[in-house]
Amino acid sequence: MIKVGIIGSTGYAGAELVRLLLGHKEAEIVWYGSRSYIDQQYASVYQNMFKLVDCTCKDDNMDALAKEADVIFTATPQGLCASLINEEILADTKIIDLSADFRLKDVSVYEEWYKIQHKAPQYIDEAVYGLCEINREDIKKARIVANPGCYTTCSILSFYPLVKEGLIDPNTIIVDAKSGTSGAGRGAKTDNLFCEVNENMKAYGVASHRHTPEIEEQLGYAAGAPVTINFTPHLVPMNRGILVTGYASLLKDVTWQDVRAVYEKYYGKEYFIRLLDEGLTAQTKWVEGSNFTDIGFKIDPRTKRIIVMGALDNLVKGAAGQAVQNMNLLFGLDEKEGLNLVPMFP
Amino acid sequence: MIKVGIIGSTGYAGAELVRLLLGHKEAEIVWYGSRSYIDQQYASVYQNMFKLVDCTCKDDNMDALAKEADVIFTATPQGLCASLINEEILADTKIIDLSADFRLKDVSVYEEWYKIQHKAPQYIDEAVYGLCEINREDIKKARIVANPGCYTTCSILSFYPLVKEGLIDPNTIIVDAKSGTSGAGRGAKTDNLFCEVNENMKAYGVASHRHTPEIEEQLGYAAGAPVTINFTPHLVPMNRGILVTGYASLLKDVTWQDVRAVYEKYYGKEYFIRLLDEGLTAQTKWVEGSNFTDIGFKIDPRTKRIIVMGALDNLVKGAAGQAVQNMNLLFGLDEKEGLNLVPMFP
Amino acid sequence: MIKVGIIGSTGYAGAELVRLLLGHKEAEIVWYGSRSYIDQQYASVYQNMFKLVDCTCKDDNMDALAKEADVIFTATPQGLCASLINEEILADTKIIDLSADFRLKDVSVYEEWYKIQHKAPQYIDEAVYGLCEINREDIKKARIVANPGCYTTCSILSFYPLVKEGLIDPNTIIVDAKSGTSGAGRGAKTDNLFCEVNENMKAYGVASHRHTPEIEEQLGYAAGAPVTINFTPHLVPMNRGILVTGYASLLKDVTWQDVRAVYEKYYGKEYFIRLLDEGLTAQTKWVEGSNFTDIGFKIDPRTKRIIVMGALDNLVKGAAGQAVQNMNLLFGLDEKEGLNLVPMFP
Amino acid sequence: MIKVGIIGSTGYAGAELVRLLLGHKEAEIVWYGSRSYIDQQYASVYQNMFKLVDCTCKDDNMDALAKEADVIFTATPQGLCASLINEEILADTKIIDLSADFRLKDVSVYEEWYKIQHKAPQYIDEAVYGLCEINREDIKKARIVANPGCYTTCSILSFYPLVKEGLIDPNTIIVDAKSGTSGAGRGAKTDNLFCEVNENMKAYGVASHRHTPEIEEQLGYAAGAPVTINFTPHLVPMNRGILVTGYASLLKDVTWQDVRAVYEKYYGKEYFIRLLDEGLTAQTKWVEGSNFTDIGFKIDPRTKRIIVMGALDNLVKGAAGQAVQNMNLLFGLDEKEGLNLVPMFP
């Protein structure tokens, strides 16, 4: 059994890790870290876990945890993982970081967008960007996996084959993304109160959201050149789900079947990516609770643009599910272990 | 492998059966019955099943199905199961009926509340009321299991120990129940449109809902005498979940611990019933997606009443989950097989 | 023009007062009190008021405000109004208190249920309980109006005629109430986050909610004797609306028409109370945004109980609307002024 | 008093016309047309109107209605208004058509996108496109007003000044729009059931939605040349509200203040358009229930694009409110009469 420690286990992503790992045959959680709820029963914080988890929360002593755990998930605010990591810890355990600390290769880009100093830049190079369908082989050998952001996973997976194959001009990409409110976390803020979110819709972080450089960097690798895009996230009155509606100008005169073939080339064998049939649109509800990303697209001959639509569950493929998928890769397990989740409808 | 047929597989309860059975190690679905979608791909009706179910829908030919299936789930409108069942079918297969056809032992009560003639009254006596925690041993030997209603399961489980032990006057029971909208089914009715349900709450079927006699009959067995109650269902703007808030006059001067001991006596070893600690209230979200029923209570010394609160997921323990639990009992499997579902939050 | 001051103008009830008073022909707001947002533009706190309100928030200096305002609304936490009120203020202005400070006549009951010491018990006697349809004439002469609570208004209006006319045993009353989340206020608490409330339903304050003694006191006046009831509030995933489902044992053998006649006797001429036709149920959506209370009922001959259903908008008739109605009474205006609000659907 | 007839009064847009006109001092409704509910009480179809409307529904006999009404609103499916209109009717009354029949000047474009034959092409030329802030003077003189679509109003108002002043390349416009579900109407369709819409988000009509040519035509007038855009509507789990997030490439090197000055030039005196301060984003909740359109924007120096955000209530400014505004213009009334609606929050 793989021994797992979670730092930040009482945030929404941390709680989703717990939900998924309870169903994982090869892993057991040995450390429920939560700075806010030290010594409290985990199930008193998440009553869904009543009778399922009988453990108290611990602090975020990563040194001690590293001795006990084969892998540590850090589902914590930006900066924490980088501030705690060191060589001794990495000698004992592997790290899957759900924060942004090791996602961007250029530390100055990190510091500019996140407005904090990076405390462990020496590990940036070796950290592997944990988008399993794209970096699978590198992940298997990693000590540090930088688990991608929720918006990012959906955006990159939606556009990657098009960019890689040169079907579109990557600098025309516009990603209009919509997210359920769990993406905003469990912090008690007025903006996230039920009455403020319900019956409402808004954009936020327009032209300034931190996932922008992450998308650009990864698509840049696919393009072989720097890419600059527009990314606009929106808050939607639902708990879970990310929907990406993306636009780009086609460079070639292609049919739906041509483009589909390109998607098949990259994702045809991927279990967690479902390429939708022609005429169908991705919907967040169809993937809720599962690790799937659904992708569909439409070509608009009038504007010579392609409209790509991707949907995933921000807490699963957008966070905890992908983190478990990364763990499975790290430890040579079946990549689907613990992730055979049938989407729940309604 | 148990071969399973589902008649009515494209209603919400039928679709939930599919979701659960896909994760069941000892069962496989051999027949997706749906009169409305004959010859259409199941996954075109429920796109969450894309890549997971590659079958087309069939009609509801129970005779043919009985030859192929070890067990048939009928998730159909009242009257259908009774109109199709016969001795030849029962010679070949077992029936778990999610409709009300075999729940009430008195056929005149059935015909009065449901306003239809019962087509197979000869099977009423042998059918076993499939409330697993109460009728477990009888279920194991049954040919026909009458799977309880969603409101009913929650109401009976909440009050059963109190009635059985004579702690309350059963004729003072008032059940004020609240249900998510999936309980209203997938039929295209104006009343169930998003804009009619959202931001709204209402009672319906006041003093006339069909689950009333079912609750009364079962609690009557516990009381050893006929019971008459008030039952008021409400429609709530959420997808899933039933919350029962029940009231009854205490017959004895008891403490919280006394009452808790009574609940422990009946449910202490039941995996799917979680007895909440003092001061906690049942919430539908804490059981969503799972087969759990959470039960808590409060004694009001001012009025000498007890307020009982029960919560379950109407599509799982209130329908498909309990049906699978019944199947497990029928076939001698681990009762939890396919039902190790961790509630999903948020 | 009546000059109005609002203390607590940035809570949800305060904001609703602003919405209503902007449409009131005889009133103008001269003071937007808000301890949390002093010197900030009101429209920066409630962006719906952009271009409609061009004022900054002020502190809660009631002495200064009393010099400027003909009437002060206190939409503040319990205890604040009682701590500020004095004879000088009352010499200058009238007070409509939306908190509970002057609702209960017995100060010991107040202190027991609210767990705070009452700072101005000398004003309790003269304060008039501002349930307009019942205490209209007394309100007209008051200096201090104790504006009723949201649950309370709906509960009392629903049961008042039945108790007053002796149709029911008041000690059998059970009020099962459901409220939209705006009733929980705008404070940033985890429990009120979108993801905690959405897709969830729960009871709270079971057998201990502070509105209980308020309902009991007022119904006690109608009964001519003390009344003890059960009152259970529930949180519903919607912004606005209170639905009361009430139960009581009938003392007489009455028809629907008999009971209707009793309601007509008390409410037949009341504009803001709509008595529903037989067979219809009260729904919160049908009164949203308006000052109406809709009331319907059903007699259950099986249990000899009556089930009463009342619905109102907790921020209008349950708070700000009734407060404006009280203001209209205090100043001899048309009681409907500013309250000609057509319910908004959907 | 202006006598008003409504054909299609029991759809959501028709019901909103009723809500608004009940508060209009110069208009009275003389005809509640509804083919589906002939001879039924209007308030039995919309119970919010109980005690407020005491009329029965009539059929859609426009000839008879024209004799009684000074103005007829047609809130009906495409094709109906065109099939009924004639010279005699226009001799008696004015028409404000909320359908698309007279919005597009090129009948072949209409027939291509709507897949129906136009029955009254002879009136297309004289019909005035009823976007009040842009065509005010023409509307005043019209016999037929083509009331704009909901998406269209929000899209055009958001981009009009930028196109008119040549700040952007109109052929780079991408409109990503999000709508509350009332925009889908009150028809009983599975896709619009609560459980299908709630907790879900999807695009629909991608690259093929009928509002596309309407936006293109109107922006083409502003540009002085044909314009081709991408328009993608999305369904959001909320009752009301449209949010447009629009993208376009800037042709000039401009500051936020420069662009703001352009918006001021066109909308500075418009009561119903609220230009948001820098840094604020449009949110649907801030305009709910009102006739306002809120518009904000952000310039992205990295991509040299402008992101424009507009929000309105699809049933008010997007349908009934704008129709009443047009009526006010037609009859020389204060443009705001009946439309002094303060947005309701929460």
Side-chain angles (χ1 to χ4, degrees), chain B residues 21-295:
Chain B
L21 291 169
L22 287 182
H24 194 292
K25 289 192 203 69
E26 312 281 344
E28 66 174 326
I29 304 171
V30 299
W31 187 291
Y32 292 83
S34 172
R35 201 181 278 187
S36 310
Y37 295 98
I38 293 172
D39 292 337
Q40 294 187 39
Q41 273 285 331
Y42 189 79
S44 75
V45 185
Y46 282 100
Q47 201 173 321
N48 53 326
M49 296 303 176
F50 184 55
K51 301 280 185 193
L52 299 174
V53 175
D54 184 17
C55 294
T56 53
C57 297
K58 301 182 184 175
D59 66 13
D60 49 12
N61 184 335
M62 210 192 269
D63 295 309
L65 170 52
K67 306 285 185 216
E68 298 188 25
D70 301 307
V71 61
I72 299 175
F73 294 95
T74 48
T76 46
Q78 325 304 336
L80 188 79
C81 182
S83 75
L84 295 176
I85 202 167
N86 60 45
E87 204 56 29
E88 290 187 347
I89 288 169
L90 289 171
D92 287 330
T93 193
K94 290 173 182 288
I95 303 281
I96 299 174
D97 178 25
L98 282 77
S99 86
D101 284 1
F102 297 99
R103 292 179 191 159
L104 298 169
K105 289 298 173 199
D106 184 337
V107 70
S108 68
V109 172
Y110 174 89
E111 294 185 344
E112 178 191 339
W113 287 79
Y114 286 90
K115 313 289 181 207
I116 48 176
Q117 198 199 336
H118 202 294
K119 297 289 178 53
Q122 68 275 22
Y123 293 114
I124 292 180
D125 265 355
E126 77 159 286
V128 176
Y129 191 74
L131 195 46
C132 311
E133 284 76 12
I134 292 176
N135 296 329
R136 181 172 285 118
E137 295 311 314
D138 289 339
I139 292 163
K140 291 178 180 175
K141 298 170 289 189
R143 293 197 301 175
I144 306 170
V145 175
N147 206 61
C150 50
Y151 283 126
T152 326
T153 297
C154 200
S155 302
I156 297 171
L157 289 179
S158 294
F159 275 109
Y160 181 79
L162 304 181
V163 173
K164 187 81 175 174
E165 294 290 311
L167 284 190
I168 58 171
D169 175 357
N171 290 306
T172 64
I173 292 176
I174 290 172
V175 174
D176 193 283
K178 299 89 179 167
S179 174
T181 303
S182 61
R186 211 190 193 195
K189 295 177 188 163
T190 303
D191 279 356
N192 297 335
L193 290 176
F194 181 83
C195 290
E196 309 284 317
V197 173
N198 189 42
E199 295 296 287
N200 196 5
M201 182 143 185
K202 67 172 175 185
Y204 65 98
V206 182
S208 62
H209 192 275
R210 295 161 168 190
H211 283 180
T212 311
E214 192 179 331
I215 303 170
E216 291 178 342
E217 181 178 321
Q218 297 299 321
L219 290 183
Y221 297 144
V227 166
T228 310
I229 68 160
N230 270 109
F231 169 67
T232 314
H234 296 77
L235 194 67
V236 184
M238 58 186 189
N239 284 343
R240 290 170 177 246
I242 280 184
L243 180 71
V244 155
T245 315
Y247 305 84
S249 294
L250 288 162
L251 293 175
K252 300 179 183 173
D253 195 16
V254 286
T255 64
W256 190 89
Q257 284 73 18
D258 296 336
V259 177
R260 171 61 180 243
V262 164
Y263 276 107
E264 288 280 358
K265 176 177 170 186
Y266 290 88
Y267 300 147
K269 293 177 182 169
E270 293 295 343
Y271 179 77
F272 291 122
I273 298 182
R274 302 193 298 188
L275 299 174
L276 300 176
D277 294 339
E278 193 167 8
L280 294 182
T281 56
Q283 303 189 23
T284 61
K285 190 67 183 164
W286 299 128
V287 295
E288 190 177 316
S290 82
N291 201 46
F292 290 116
T293 303
D294 281 3
I295 299 178

Side-chain angles (χ1 to χ4, degrees), chain B residues 113 171-176 178 195-196 198-203 206-208 212 216 228-230 232 234 236-240 243 245 247 281-285 288 298 300 302-303 305 307 309 345-346, chain C residues 113 171-176 178 195-196 198-203 206-208 212 216 228-230 232 234 236-240 243 245 247 281-285 288 298 300 302-303 305 307 309 345-346:
Chain B
W113 287 79
N171 290 306
T172 64
I173 292 176
I174 290 172
V175 174
D176 193 283
K178 299 89 179 167
C195 290
E196 309 284 317
N198 189 42
E199 295 296 287
N200 196 5
M201 182 143 185
K202 67 172 175 185
V206 182
S208 62
T212 311
E216 291 178 342
T228 310
I229 68 160
N230 270 109
T232 314
H234 296 77
V236 184
M238 58 186 189
N239 284 343
R240 290 170 177 246
L243 180 71
T245 315
Y247 305 84
T281 56
Q283 303 189 23
T284 61
K285 190 67 183 164
E288 190 177 316
K298 179 111 184 224
D300 187 353
R302 300 167 69 250
T303 61
R305 292 194 192 102
I307 301 103
M309 289 154 284
F345 185 91
Chain C
W113 288 78
N171 290 306
T172 65
I173 292 175
I174 291 172
V175 173
D176 192 283
K178 297 90 178 166
C195 288
E196 310 284 317
N198 189 41
E199 295 295 289
N200 196 5
M201 183 143 184
K202 66 173 176 184
V206 182
S208 63
T212 311
E216 291 179 340
T228 310
I229 68 162
N230 270 110
T232 313
H234 296 75
V236 185
M238 58 185 189
N239 285 343
R240 289 171 178 243
L243 180 70
T245 313
Y247 305 84
T281 54
Q283 302 188 21
T284 60
K285 190 67 183 165
E288 190 178 314
K298 179 111 184 224
D300 186 353
R302 300 168 69 252
T303 60
R305 292 196 191 102
I307 301 103
M309 290 153 284
F345 185 90

Side-chain angles (χ1 to χ4, degrees), chain D residues 39-58:
Chain D
D39 292 338
Q40 294 186 39
Q41 274 285 332
Y42 189 79
S44 75
V45 185
Y46 282 100
Q47 201 173 320
N48 55 326
M49 295 304 177
F50 185 54
K51 300 281 184 191
L52 299 174
V53 174
D54 185 17
C55 292
T56 51
C57 296
K58 300 181 186 177

Side-chain angles (χ1 to χ4, degrees), chain D residues 136-176:
Chain D
R136 182 172 285 119
E137 295 311 315
D138 289 338
I139 293 164
K140 290 177 181 175
K141 297 170 287 189
R143 293 198 301 174
I144 306 169
V145 175
N147 207 61
C150 49
Y151 283 125
T152 327
T153 298
C154 199
S155 303
I156 298 171
L157 288 179
S158 295
F159 275 108
Y160 181 80
L162 304 181
V163 174
K164 187 80 177 175
E165 295 290 312
L167 284 189
I168 58 173
D169 174 355
N171 290 307
T172 65
I173 291 176
I174 291 172
V175 173
D176 191 283

